Amino acid sequence: MPLKTINFQDNKLILLDQRRLPLEISFFQAENYQDTAFAIKDMVVRGAPAIGATAAYGVYLAALEFKNKSKDEFFQGIISAGETLKSARPTAVNLKWAVNGMLKILFKNREKTTEEILTILKTSVHEVAREDIEINKKIAENGNELIPDKANILTHCNTGALATVDYGTALGVIRKAFSSGKTIHVYIDETRPRLQGARLTAFELQNMEIPCTLIVDSVAAVLLRDGKIDLVLVGADRIANNGDTANKIGTYMLSEISQRFNVPFYVVAPTSTIDFCLPTGEEIEIEERDPEEITHIEGKQIAPANVKTYNPAFDITPAQNITAIVTENGIIKPPFKDNIQKIKPSLA
Ligand code: MRU
């Protein structure tokens, strides 16, 4: 049976513990919204669409927790849980999108009984999860058009089933290209410091028997210069209205080198990752994470004690370095400022 990134059973959220993959298959059980916020912060679950869906379940867990309170306390409890969940990680807009979506449903049904609201929230959260899979499959269909046969693809971080409810975004495109019969080969950036490429993307691609080679991040420039890469596919945590894209640290560097050697650079993401109200990437908050992510490996110190560190988890790739953005609503080409608005879902 395939491993499920996110599962909801008996009013508990069961998350595949990505901190331990690929060496150990274990699960983290979130019994309330606080456990859910911890799981997002500590990266038990990660990847923009996956943390969005997880946070939506967190809102539902809060609703269950406060169901026996007065209506006012029920609402206040859920709103405050939403704030906790949204602040768990600041960069991926999917987190805010999913929590705000659940809160909107809550407010819309404020006249109903608590029991009725719980039923509506439960249906809605399952719908968020189901839609994520459907959207990823549409993205993959659209993105497959960009993949030539015999392509050598470079990817960064992890954008697969593990980063979503299922199927994946950039890795979903790769999966679709392979299953549609194309001969492809994928170079995987290890993706320092959390090694999502080495630990998660390599694991997923191997399981799907897609030919792949793991490299350290600094090898990418050499491969791009030597004409060994036909295209680069990455995911996104937030896309501004002008196309500037926040993604895993190292993406910006890849985009600069791709530009230098005329290699197409594609961003693959659902429209829920587009922050239609944000004019440029300058306004995107970049999460800074614990220095131990770079001073330690597997809990073992490797850098001198107290060395000064700088550990941003994401960077911004400027729109001019991006060839196209692949979404479920189509492929967006420059000028992004005009064309992003054209694919905006009606309720965004
Ligand atoms: O820190 P992470 O592992 O959550 O970062 C993930 C990424 O940067 C992904 O590329 C992005 O969220 C898209 S996942 C489909």
Side-chain angles (χ1 to χ4, degrees):
M1 207 179 78
L3 292 171
K4 280 184 92 175
T5 307
I6 301 169
N7 206 354
F8 196 78
Q9 254 175 12
D10 304 326
N11 288 341
K12 290 184 179 68
L13 183 60
I14 321 280
L15 301 167
L16 178 59
D17 195 337
Q18 301 193 29
R19 298 168 304 180
R20 306 195 196 288
L21 287 175
L23 302 179
E24 195 183 313
I25 309 289
S26 58
F27 295 88
F28 177 96
Q29 191 165 295
E31 304 203 353
N32 49 43
Y33 77 87
Q34 293 93 335
D35 291 349
T36 311
F38 170 82
I40 294 171
K41 207 177 182 58
D42 212 49
M43 296 173 68
V44 171
V45 60
R46 28 67 49 202
I51 60 177
T54 301
Y57 278 109
V59 173
Y60 179 60
L61 284 173
L64 287 174
E65 183 174 334
F66 300 117
K67 70 176 181 184
N68 293 326
K69 304 262 181 201
S70 72
K71 193 89 173 269
D72 266 4
E73 285 168 329
F74 175 69
F75 268 72
Q76 273 318 313
I78 299 174
I79 294 166
S80 142
E83 289 308 313
T84 305
L85 289 159
K86 283 193 275 186
S87 64
R89 291 191 79 188
T91 305
V93 76
N94 305 61
L95 188 54
K96 292 185 182 63
W97 170 85
V99 171
N100 290 343
M102 290 291 283
L103 293 181
K104 221 172 178 175
I105 294 163
L106 176 75
F107 294 130
K108 207 171 120 196
N109 292 288
R110 59 166 17 117
E111 303 312 329
K112 301 211 163 69
T113 65
T114 304
E115 268 315 311
E116 285 168 334
I117 296 176
L118 276 175
T119 308
I120 294 167
L121 289 178
K122 187 175 183 177
T123 311
S124 308
V125 73
H126 288 318
E127 188 61 11
V128 169
R130 194 195 57 74
E131 264 186 9
D132 179 70
I133 306 173
E134 203 174 282
I135 286 169
N136 291 338
K137 290 187 176 163
K138 279 195 199 144
I139 294 176
E141 289 279 342
N142 293 339
N144 191 19
E145 284 173 30
L146 302 168
I147 315 292
D149 194 23
K150 304 199 170 49
N152 270 293
I153 304 166
L154 176 62
T155 193
H156 193 65
C157 197
N158 173 265
T159 58
L162 292 168
T164 57
V165 178
D166 201 357
Y167 207 80
T169 58
L171 220 59
V173 173
I174 288 171
R175 189 171 172 173
K176 180 73 195 170
F178 184 71
S179 67
S180 68
K182 290 177 189 167
T183 302
I184 54 166
H185 172 263
V186 185
Y187 283 101
I188 313 163
D189 273 355
E190 63 170 350
T191 317
R192 282 280 294 152
R194 294 288 294 234
L195 303 172
Q196 291 94 327
R199 298 191 303 105
L200 308 176
T201 302
F203 175 68
E204 287 199 50
L205 288 178
Q206 266 200 346
N207 283 346
M208 292 185 285
E209 298 181 9
I210 300 178
C212 60
T213 305
L214 177 64
I215 55 170
V216 299
D217 297 335
S218 28
V219 170
V222 175
L223 291 174
L224 284 158
R225 181 202 60 193
D226 293 350
K228 298 271 170 58
I229 306 292
D230 299 299
L231 68 144
V232 179
L233 285 179
V234 296
D237 282 80
R238 195 187 297 218
I239 302 172
N241 198 46
N242 70 343
D244 290 351
T245 294
N247 192 48
K248 179 53 53 195
I249 190 75
T251 306
Y252 165 55
M253 190 162 72
L254 267 189
S255 77
E256 283 288 325
I257 307 162
S258 303
Q259 175 94 334
R260 163 85 167 78
F261 296 107
N262 283 319
V263 175
F265 186 93
Y266 299 113
V267 169
V268 184
T271 50
S272 55
T273 302
I274 304 177
D275 197 340
F276 292 95
C277 303
L278 204 71
T280 73
E282 267 177 49
E283 293 86 25
I284 299 178
E285 184 183 347
I286 300 291
E287 175 187 9
E288 267 192 57
R289 293 190 60 88
D290 194 328
E292 275 210 8
E293 288 189 347
I294 47 180
T295 58
H296 290 59
I297 292 179
E298 295 289 314
K300 190 172 183 302
Q301 187 181 333
I302 48 117
N306 304 321
V307 68
K308 200 170 154 203
T309 58
Y310 175 49
N311 185 24
F314 302 97
D315 56 27
I316 309 288
T317 295
Q320 71 265 22
N321 288 3
I322 299 169
T323 313
I325 301 171
V326 183
T327 74
E328 74 276 22
N329 290 348
I331 298 174
I332 316 172
K333 299 212 169 111
F336 293 118
K337 209 167 156 206
D338 303 327
N339 294 341
I340 278 182
Q341 284 298 325
K342 292 188 191 146
I343 59 97
K344 186 174 174 175
S346 49
L347 289 173

